[in-house]
Amino acid sequence: MAVVQRANEQLQKKQDEKEVKQQEVKTEKEDNIKSNVSQQNKSENSKKQNENKQSSSKNQYICYECGTVFEKKPQKTCPICGISSKYIEKYEAK
Ligand SMILES: [Zn+2]
């Protein structure tokens, strides 16, 4: 009887160890997921910031006569082809 009892105890011990290991793995996975999510949030935030920067710097104007793109709208006429600035309009690159 005593031998059987000891064997049962050992078995119980092994099962306990197994459960502990599974719990450890589980918490590790959860930690990984959490850190992944926070990293994704960070990258999304930086993406948005980049988009904002790009859109603000993309205020360009294009001359529909000669196709030249300007950073600022020419005052009266296109300096390249000399056409009226009526033909130079805001250009949104996509
Ligand atoms: Zn022009």
Side-chain angles (χ1 to χ4, degrees), residues 11 18 30 49 59 68 70 93:
L11 203 71
K18 225 179 184 180
E30 278 174 4
Q49 281 175 351
N59 277 342
T68 309
F70 302 100

Side-chain angles (χ1 to χ4, degrees), residues 8-44:
N8 276 344
E9 274 172 18
Q10 279 181 344
L11 203 71
Q12 188 72 44
K13 219 178 177 183
K14 272 183 188 173
Q15 280 177 344
D16 283 351
E17 280 172 11
K18 225 179 184 180
E19 274 176 25
V20 168
K21 270 179 192 171
Q22 278 177 342
Q23 279 178 347
E24 277 174 7
V25 169
K26 211 178 179 184
T27 50
E28 264 177 37
K29 273 184 186 170
E30 278 174 4
D31 282 351
N32 280 343
I33 288 168
K34 275 178 194 167
S35 63
N36 277 347
V37 167
S38 65
Q39 276 177 354
Q40 276 179 348
N41 282 344
K42 274 179 195 168
S43 65
E44 269 179 26

